[in-house]
Amino acid sequence: MRKDYNLEKRKYVICGFIILIALIYGVRLFNLQIADAKYKRSADSNAFLRKTIYPSRGLIYDRNGELVVFNQPAYDVMLIPRDVQEFDTVSFCNALNMTREELLKRLADMKDPRLNPGYSSYTPQRLVSHLSAQDYGRLQEKLYRFPGFFIQKRILRQYAGTSGANVLGNIREASQADIQADDYYAPGDYTGDLGIEKSYEKELRGIKGVEILIRDAHGRIQGRYEDGAHDIAPISGRDLTLSIDIKLQEYAESLMVGKRGAVVAIEPSTGEVLCLVSSPNYDPNLLVGRKRGENYRKLVNAPDWPLFDRAIMAGYPPGSTFKPTQGLIFLEEGIITDKTMYPCSRGYISGGLRVRCHPHGSPLPLLPALQTSCNAYFCYGFKAMIDKRSKYGNPSNAFEVWKNHLVSMGYGYKLGIDLPGERRGFIPNSAFYDKNYGATHWSANTIISVAIGQGEVLATPLQIANLCATIANRGYFYTPHVVKEIQDTVISEEYTQKRIPTINPEYFADVAQGMRMAVIGGTCGKANIPGIEVAGKTGTAQNPHGEDHSAFMGFAPFDNPKIAVCAYIENGGWGATYGVPTGALVMEKYLTGTIHPSRKYLEQFLLSSSVYYAPPKQKK
Amino acid sequence: MSQLRNGQTSIFSQIDWVTIILYLIMVVCGAVSIYAACYDFDHANLFSFDEFSGKQMRWIALSLVIGLTLLLVETRIYETYAYVIYGAMMVLLFITPFVAPDIKGSHSWLVIGPMSLQPAELAKFATALAMARLFSGYNFQLNAKAGNYAKALALIFMPIVLILLQNETGSALVYMSLFFVLYREGMSGLVLFAALFSVVIFVVAIKFTESQILGLESGQFWILVLVMVITVGMSVIYGKRNIEIARNLLLWYLLCGLSMWGLSAFTEIIIPGRAAMLFAIGVACVYLGFESARMRLRKLLIPIATAVLAVGFLFTVEAAFGKLMPHQQLRIKVVLGIEEDLRGAGYNVNQSKIAIGSGGLLGKGFLEGTQTKLKYVPEQHTDFIFCTIGEEEGFWGAVGVELLFLAMILRIIQIAERQHTTFGRVYAYCVASYLIFHFCINIGMVIGLCPVIGIPLPFFSYGGSSLWGFTILLFILLRIDASRKSVLAY
């Protein structure tokens, strides 16, 4: 083969290149390893201790600037197994108030890979968590005698009061799953659980800092590495301001003592939730510190489900509080006008079907129908709509139109409140009935009970309160939310955008008028607060769990609404018995700051009464 | 049959034992270093298969089996099936990202039972074979027509693109080293020079922006100085014995430099540093142009073009980079390894430098290194294995490893040049190029001279794929070399 000697010379260039690089690297190694004294110093102090500095978690204020949740320090005893030398266990145990057996068991547990999968003898491991201040003080004095041990400061929560646990949530130690899902967490870190602690975890937690310390061969801290040049300062979490009025929350909770149910109040003009009560409730302080695990188990197993936030999770039959939506839909669809009258002969009678009603004038138009909560009126309207084949073709189409209006008013889907675990309630669609009855085998009479908020229809107390806020606004609402402000940033856009249902605003004015009449001369006379124009609607919901549920929704003042409320008391009987006074007192307290002497008896009644529960439901 | 046996027996007498011995020293040192890097007082057992070092021993044993098998394969087979192997490997690379699980954002590992393999490592020898086959084609000359370049570049860029799809930037860049082979086979040195120089300009211009010299960023300053040095150097090369051209240029630059230094040191005058340096280079270019016309030396236009292009490229990079949003700039810097990835263990290179630096002249001794053991250096048993060697064996150990690599690379180049066939020579240069790239980038990264590009140190880093990849490369080369005498006939 012919060789090109001109090209062969190029091997010298390639060899030269690699020799040059090797030379440069050699010089660099010489500089690093021999010439530069900086690294020799590091050779003496041959290890670092990376200490995490935990940021302070964001504080939580109520809408009036009152501090609701704040931080308390807690101290964990940590050790780095490699650095631990023989130590005086008696003195150590005395400082920590534990027996030698306990200590040995803790050390064994720490090394057990099943209990502590992240164990390494080089990295900090936790021996004892949440030292009391006294234990901390005693140990701190003697700590120099126990090389390898140090104290890690952590942040726990503390609550100013005992109310609002369902909104506030709490913090718990991050689980293995949390740690895998998010790089932020290390074993032993805390993360939000339930309530806004969970939904605003990213805002509240802040950014961790690191302090790098140099240790000598005996593990003693010699100082900060390069004077802290590589340290990272922690950044505190953002403070939150709730839309909740904590005083109102406390008051509403006190009214609900002894009853199961929920109270939700919303400021209609903003969608801000003023109080969100779920009863029975629990003290948030139970879920702080060393007793958390035990208390949490107790709460989970409690028969009345205190951890279940009824305000946003429970699907209740809305009962008569649903009637305003029906009036709105019939008006919008042209089924009725405000003059249309329907008869009521102690109920709705069609074919063999009879839906009973209580005695009142007949026939009657929409507004008196709302005032007296006439079942027959809304059944006739519903039948007129669903069976109107001239307009919709068949009941399925009519029902879809009906359903879509309700969805636009916030029913059937999650409203999107900034709390975890919200449920969507239930509004059936025509496919649901097609499946149950067969495609052409159902009509208005088959499903007539949904017209009065019974049957398949379910709503959360939040959805009912939101409907009331929509009526108070005469035709729009904001997505309800419990956090009003976030430090140094703004709340999510979804809470500042108006949502407009598919109903003409003028019809809302009619329905609002009907609700006003219900207070003045109708079913909710107890809501008539002196000096304030209140509008309201009762609800008495039949249910399979015993006595009827007692419900009320109302807003006030009539012309410039400041509060819209829903009170829902399980098995409370008539709407007027528990629902109306609870809702009315919450409105009165919020608007006037006090309760009028003529109405103190209502307050007394609620504070002293309890509803005997129906037999406890089986857990799903 | 008898011939075959003859061929087999002759293989072991013809084999290049120097390379084999270097190879064995390196893999054994590698396994020992991995043992040291992962040594833990709690559970120490060199041959336990749970430990990385134990696993590495197993990889080494399997490598030797593979190497031995490869030596028994007839050389002609490699030549005949080069394209088939290449094609099959490209298909494998193509399907890898679809079937590979996500491991730290890269989809490059094929998991087969208890093993995971990185096809990107195995594609190295396939590409080398294909390159060798292309160049050994009848009457193939790289410079004969542009189509030849297109074919060679296609062979190189196919694996690069496929590996980039797996999100393995480091492994993809390795194939760029094959430009050394193109250079050896006739590509103009200016291309290699231009490529290297533009990488240097890009990295230096982005990396050194903190301090200022004469009112311009230090990175820019040093690049402009480099441009001056290069114009002088080129005028020596292309000036055809007219050494006075280079002398005049040098004097001019010295004059400019001295006057600028003097003015800034002894007076209050603020010199527009960038304008002054550009002026100096501009005058030099005009002078070169004049000389080129006067002496009819067209090659003297090369330094002018180099200077103009380099300065233009520098300012383009600067302008384009300045237009980006800060987070995009950060991203590029992270990709280039200039800025540490904040989500990573932080200051990796600094830790690695401290570990090496603390080794001193003689090192801390085997298993005595503390920096690497305390997990301050990430990837200590894979990409940062050199760190452990530097800390425990000191300057002598680190330089020793360097010399091992140097010896092996030079030996392979020597083997390349003694081949009688183009196939053998090109293949050998491919092997040498891969090793040069891995050596330069990996050690450069660990001692803080190169961007952090995650590629292993051949034969040392933990990992079966890398070890097997290089073993295959090397033993095919040894097989080709061993039979070189029998191919004299054609």
Side-chain angles (χ1 to χ4, degrees), chain B residues 261-284:
Chain B
W261 173 75
L263 282 175
S264 61
F266 299 110
T267 67
E268 298 290 304
I269 302 167
I270 294 164
I271 307 163
R274 174 186 291 196
M277 292 184 82
L278 289 182
F279 173 74
I281 293 173
V283 168

Side-chain angles (χ1 to χ4, degrees), chain A residues 1 3 8 10-11 13 22 25-26 28 30 32-34 39 46-48 50 82 121-122 183 212 225, chain B residues 41-42 183 187 343 347 350 354 356 360-361 370-371 374 376 390 395 402 417 420 422 429 440 444 447:
Chain A
M1 199 199 89
K3 266 201 170 181
E8 197 186 331
R10 290 191 167 183
K11 74 179 177 192
V13 176
Y25 286 4
R28 171 73 171 187
F30 182 83
L32 279 178
Q33 299 190 292
I34 297 172
Y39 300 105
N46 55 20
F48 301 109
R50 292 166 63 97
R82 249 207 89 193
S121 66
Y122 294 105
D183 282 353
I212 301 165
Y225 169 55
Chain B
F41 297 110
D42 292 346
Y183 170 70
M187 182 182 75
R343 270 156 46 86
Y347 56 98
N350 195 32
I354 289 174
I356 292 184
L361 179 65
T370 46
Q371 299 295 307
L374 286 167
Y376 294 117
F395 179 67
E402 251 203 286
E417 291 296 345
H420 304 296
T422 313
Y429 264 108
C440 292
I447 60 182

Side-chain angles (χ1 to χ4, degrees), chain B residues 72-130:
Chain B
L72 299 177
V73 176
E74 195 60 21
T75 312
R76 294 282 298 174
I77 303 271
Y78 296 124
E79 216 167 330
T80 313
Y81 291 106
Y83 286 146
V84 178
I85 295 171
Y86 180 78
M89 210 52 91
M90 291 306 115
V91 171
L92 189 62
L93 281 182
F94 179 75
I95 58 170
T96 301
F98 297 104
V99 296
D102 189 328
I103 297 173
K104 290 186 196 159
S106 104
H107 295 266
S108 62
W109 295 87
L110 281 184
V111 180
I112 311 153
M115 290 198 317
S116 40
L117 272 182
Q118 220 174 359
E121 293 292 341
L122 301 180
K124 281 184 184 136
F125 87 90
T127 310
L129 283 177

Side-chain angles (χ1 to χ4, degrees), chain A residues 586-603:
Chain A
V586 167
M587 285 195 280
E588 187 176 358
K589 185 81 174 176
Y590 180 69
L591 293 171
T592 66
T594 174
I595 301 297
H596 194 271
S598 69
R599 297 167 57 74
K600 279 284 183 193
Y601 78 98
L602 284 173
E603 191 179 41

Side-chain angles (χ1 to χ4, degrees), chain A residues 330-348:
Chain A
F330 304 155
L331 287 168
E332 175 68 25
E333 287 297 308
I335 306 297
I336 58 167
T337 67
D338 54 357
K339 308 268 181 329
T340 307
M341 309 233 270
Y342 285 121
C344 175
S345 43
R346 287 296 194 91
Y348 165 80

